[in-house]
Each structure stands twice: as structure tokens, then as C-alpha cells.
């Protein structure tokens, strides 16, 4: 079981620095780290103006590098899961000109952030990317890469330091360069994470409320199904479209403003599929607000019950779970000391998140592994702080 060492964990940083020396013949002089995240509850609510309750992880992405004088940007990734080629080179874009996405896909996240960076102009630089976030696991490896890149650029040519604008610029990078119409949660928690806290984010007003999550008797267990179903296909945009159709039919700006009673009234106009998508979102927004309150009051059994309701709704109404995730959740719920478990992230594979008594962590992992038809990977993690520059 991987128990992460923490932000920019030294092995990760050391590997990136060695790779920079090997690739570019010189030592890196700047370093930045940004965390992945796990969403405790509030799934597919962020692009509906609702609430989410993520926490930043100790797993993250580090970017080390140095400015160069030749106006060229050269980037190497040492992630074994990244698509080829693992090294890209392109001219630093002069003011007024723009970069464009292409292959390899991993480089698009970096290019998008350079394109939408709020400082600048961005000079030439060399950089190496290293990450201990599993790719495609629903723990926001893409947002961590975007936010680490932005944090690196802030050292290279500072912007005004506005954190909300930083998260929004990284989200825009994903929309325009990775063509993924994600909500704001992933970039926001990677930028704003607070150690020992989950963060209740209002995705409409962008206000955040830190919710303490440092009870030593409590553990958060992430279980990776190690099944990857890519999201950029038609599924994610289709879900967004269904939500927009439902909101329009109800005469609302977004489903955040709708009630289950109003939805029920419009059922015949919506068609079954759109009705069920909207029912998940409206219910999930309410569950997330309730869950944040339960966590504030250390009412873990209520929190756990809401997690299970969330999973069932994602499975039945939103239809983004899969047999592997359902298996992992069912196995977790059989263990004494487990409060609740659910799929987390966009769905179609990836991870589950389980809230449990710290003393039950070992037996939960053993039981889940025994029951699961595949091979699971476990991460026992604590809420971490957000992105930061690392001293070299």
C-alpha cells in the first residue's frame, strides 16, 4: 500500500531533478508542486453551479526547470503512463501569438496553461514533469499538471498572485487545449487546498468553506480499480448537455436553482434519461451541503450514509459507475468500521473513496482485495495543502 510522503515528496523531486540534469545537462533552479484531489462527495455538480467537497492529496505533480536564453520551451515527462513522445520542444509564444494543441496529449495541458497564463510574456525554459498521481484514476492528474505548470510560471515571470484567477486560467487551459469541458472543482482544490481540511466549494459563487478533517481516529482510503475508461469520449459532454436541457426546461439558469418537486412536475416533458440525470444532480447538491455539516459536527455515520446515497445515484440515475466500482463499494461496506464508500471522480473506472475508522484501514484493504475481481491499489491519505513553489 502506498502511503504518500507528502507535498513534492523528496523521491519525486529528486527523480525530476536527476532527469533534468540528464536531459538538459544542467541543474534545475526552480520547482513547483501541485496536488491531486479526491472528491469526498458532490459528483458532477460543479458544472451545474452546485457544491463539491474535495480534499487535496499528498499525491501530486512536480515540475522542475530553468529559464533558457534561446526562446525555446523544452519539456520532458518521466511519467511512464504518458503518451509518446515524452519530450516536446516549441518556441515560446511572442505576445499576441498563440500555441495550438496536438500530440502528445500530455503536452496540451502545459501548452494550455502557457497560453492562458496571466503574467508574461513567458520566456524560453527547460522543464521536467514527474507525478505520483495515477493517470486516469479520477484523482485529477490533469489539474495537478496544469496547476503545477502555472505555479512554475509564477516563479519564472510572476503574475498578480490572484488564486481564483489562477484556478480559472487552468480550467480554461483544459477546456481549450484538452477539449474537456470540466467544472472548476479540480483546479480550485489543487490551488486552494488546506492541510487537515476538506473544502466545501460553491461552484457558482466560488466561495470556499474549509471543513476540518484531522480527526486522528478517522481515515480516508482511496481504492484504485485500475480500470480506465476514457472520459473525453461522448459520455461527459452528453451528461452536461442533459443537465443544460433539464435546466432550460425548468426555466432555470442551472440545476442549482431547481428543486426535486419542480423536477417531478416537469417529468413528462423531460423524457426519462434527462429526468434521471437532473434528479442525480439536484439530489447530490443537497447531499453535499448536508455532508459538509455532518463533517463539521463529526457525525461520520450520517456522512457515510450520504456517500452511499451518492454512489447509488451515480450508478442508477447518472449512469457513470461501472461493475468494478460497484464491486469495490460493496466490498468496503461489508467491513466493520467503514462509515461509507462511493465512486469518486468522473466515473467509468478510476477510484472509490471510503471513510472509515483508522483502526479498520488494514482489514478494509485486505477484505476489498479479496472480494475484488481485479487488482486494486490503495492509498491511505490525509488532506494536504494546495500548490506551492518548492525550494531547491
Amino acid at each position: 500500500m502506498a502511503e504518500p510522503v507528502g507535498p513534492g515528496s523528496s523521491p519525486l523531486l529528486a527523480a525530476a531533478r536527476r532527469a533534468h540534469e540528464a536531459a538538459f545537462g544542467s541543474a534545475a533552479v526552480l520547482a513547483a508542486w501541485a496536488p491531486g484531489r479526491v472528491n469526498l462527495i458532490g459528483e458532477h455538480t460543479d458544472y451545474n453551479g452546485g457544491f463539491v467537497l474535495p480534499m487535496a492529496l499528498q499525491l501530486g505533480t512536480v515540475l522542475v526547470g530553468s529559464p533558457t536564453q534561446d526562446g525555446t520551451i523544452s519539456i520532458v515527462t518521466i511519467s511512464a503512463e504518458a503518451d509518446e513522445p515524452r519530450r516536446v520542444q516549441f518556441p515560446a509564444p511572442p505576445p499576441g501569438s498563440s500555441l495550438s494543441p496536438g500530440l502528445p496529449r500530455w503536452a496540451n495541458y502545459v501548452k494550455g496553461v502557457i497560453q492562458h497564463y496571466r503574467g508574461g510574456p513567458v520566456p524560453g525554459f527547460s522543464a521536467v514533469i514527474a507525478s505520483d498521481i495515477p493517470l486516469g484514476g479520477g484523482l485529477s492528474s490533469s489539474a495537478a499538471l496544469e496547476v503545477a505548470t502555472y505555479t512554475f510560471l509564477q516563479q519564472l515571470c510572476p503574475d498578480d498572485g490572484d488564486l481564483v484567477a489562477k484556478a480559472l486560467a487552468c480550467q480554461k487551459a483544459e477546456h481549450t487545449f484538452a477539449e474537456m469541458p470540466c467544472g472548476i472543482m479540480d483546479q480550485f482544490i489543487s490551488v486552494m487546498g488546506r492541510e487537515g481540511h476538506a473544502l466545501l466549494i460553491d461552484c457558482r459563487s466560488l466561495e470556499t468553506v474549509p471543513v476540518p478533517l484531522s480527526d486522528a481516529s478517522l481515515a480516508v482510503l482511496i481504492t484504485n480499480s485500475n480500470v480506465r475508461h476514457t472520459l473525453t469520449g461522448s459520455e461527459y459532454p452528453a451528461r452536461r448537455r442533459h443537465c443544460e436541457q433539464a435546466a432550460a426546461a425548468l426555466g432555470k439558469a442551472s440545476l442549482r436553482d431547481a428543486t426535486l418537486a419542480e423536477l417531478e412536475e416537469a417529468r413528462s416533458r423531460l423524457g426519462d434519461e434527462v429526468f434521471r440525470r437532473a434528479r442525480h444532480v439536484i439530489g447530490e447538491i443537497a447531499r453535499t451541503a448536508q455532508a459538509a455539516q455532518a463533517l463539521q459536527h463529526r457525525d461520520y455515520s450520517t456522512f457515510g450514509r450520504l456517500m452511499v446515497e451518492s454512489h447509488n445515484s451515480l450508478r442508477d440515475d447518472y449512469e457513470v459507475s461501472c461493475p468494478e466500482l460497484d464491486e469495490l463499494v460493496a466490498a468496503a461496506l461489508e467491513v466493520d468500521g467503514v462509515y461509507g464508500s462511493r465512486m469518486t471522480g468522473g466515473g467509468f473506472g478510476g477510484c472509490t473513496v471510503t471513510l472509515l475508522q483508522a483502526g479498520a484501514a488494514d482489514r478494509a484493504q485486505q477484505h476489498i482485495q479479496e472480494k475484488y475481481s481485479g487488482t486494486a491499489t490503495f492509498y491511505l491519505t490525509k488532506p494536504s495543502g494546495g500548490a506551492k513553489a518548492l525550494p531547491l
Side-chain angles (χ1 to χ4, degrees):
M1 188 211 54
E3 188 143 2
V5 213
S9 67
S10 42
L12 193 64
L13 183 59
R17 293 176 77 175
R18 280 195 305 274
H20 190 279
E21 193 119 9
F24 302 109
S26 63
V29 297
L30 302 171
W33 174 87
R37 64 95 189 96
V38 66
N39 190 23
L40 298 173
I41 192 167
E43 218 63 77
H44 290 279
T45 51
D46 61 348
Y47 53 83
N48 287 293
F51 295 106
V52 291
L53 188 63
M55 65 180 226
L57 297 176
Q58 295 156 305
L59 301 165
T61 296
V62 73
L63 203 130
V64 305
S66 299
T68 56
Q69 301 311 309
D70 63 359
T72 298
I73 294 172
S74 306
I75 306 162
V76 169
T77 177
I78 57 172
S79 167
E81 295 165 301
D83 55 322
E84 299 278 357
R86 303 254 165 87
R87 181 172 181 154
V88 294
Q89 197 164 321
F90 51 90
S97 78
S98 55
L99 297 170
S100 48
L103 292 173
R105 288 184 301 275
W106 64 265
N108 290 334
Y109 298 101
V110 179
K111 287 178 180 171
V113 172
I114 294 168
Q115 184 62 53
H116 296 296
Y117 183 61
R118 300 172 60 260
V122 175
F125 65 88
S126 58
V128 167
I129 298 160
S131 185
D132 52 12
I133 307 170
L135 247 67
L139 301 180
S140 272
S141 52
S142 55
L145 174 53
E146 291 150 10
V147 174
T149 302
Y150 198 105
T151 308
F152 177 82
L153 295 179
Q154 285 177 302
Q155 297 174 76
L156 206 58
C157 45
D159 67 347
D160 60 7
D162 181 325
L163 294 180
V164 172
K166 173 179 179 174
L168 289 167
C170 291
Q171 179 197 27
K172 200 170 178 186
E174 187 145 345
H175 285 186
T176 54
F177 276 65
E179 293 179 351
M180 172 59 100
C182 59
I184 189 57
M185 166 173 61
D186 299 350
Q187 292 78 10
F188 222 79
I189 185 66
S190 189
V191 170
M192 308 277 191
R194 264 180 73 169
E195 201 170 331
H197 293 77
L199 209 57
L200 180 68
I201 304 170
D202 179 332
C203 297
R204 181 166 61 184
S205 69
L206 300 184
E207 289 169 314
T208 57
V209 179
V211 183
L213 185 54
S214 51
D215 184 337
S217 70
L218 198 65
V220 175
L221 177 67
I222 297 168
T223 306
N224 191 349
S225 68
N226 289 306
V227 174
R228 273 172 77 170
H229 306 284
T230 106
L231 247 188
T232 313
S234 57
E235 296 289 355
Y236 187 96
R239 296 298 182 287
R240 280 198 79 141
R241 213 167 39 250
H242 291 148
C243 293
E244 285 156 10
Q245 283 166 10
L250 294 170
K252 308 286 185 188
S254 76
L255 289 176
R256 165 72 176 271
D257 299 314
T259 65
L260 287 172
E262 288 169 329
L263 180 67
E264 200 61 60
E265 223 167 83
R267 187 172 197 157
S268 57
R269 300 203 307 274
L270 291 173
D272 181 58
E273 195 176 43
V274 171
F275 170 79
R276 285 185 297 113
R277 302 298 186 248
R279 181 168 63 183
H280 163 71
V281 171
I282 297 168
E284 186 79 349
I285 290 171
R287 275 189 291 273
T288 306
Q290 287 170 349
Q293 277 197 311
L295 199 54
Q296 288 274 22
H297 298 129
R298 297 192 171 202
D299 179 357
Y300 304 134
S301 51
T302 296
F303 193 95
R305 176 177 55 77
L306 292 164
M307 289 174 85
V308 175
E309 286 175 16
S310 166
H311 180 79
N312 294 345
S313 175
L314 287 158
R315 180 192 64 206
D316 301 337
D317 275 355
Y318 222 62
E319 295 181 279
V320 291
S321 189
C322 60
E324 296 89 350
L325 293 173
D326 296 342
E327 243 179 68
L328 291 172
V329 167
L333 294 175
E334 290 168 352
V335 178
D336 193 32
V338 164
Y339 295 111
S341 187
R342 58 183 285 278
M343 60 152 277
T344 186
F348 307 109
C351 293
T352 63
V353 59
T354 303
L355 191 75
L356 70 171
Q357 293 165 7
D362 288 344
R363 70 172 175 266
Q365 289 170 68
Q366 201 176 338
H367 183 77
I368 293 166
Q369 193 67 274
E370 281 168 11
K371 282 294 185 86
Y372 182 44
S373 56
T375 306
T377 313
F378 298 96
Y379 305 92
L380 207 51
T381 186
K382 292 178 165 63
S384 150
K388 58 185 185 180
L390 299 175
L392 287 188

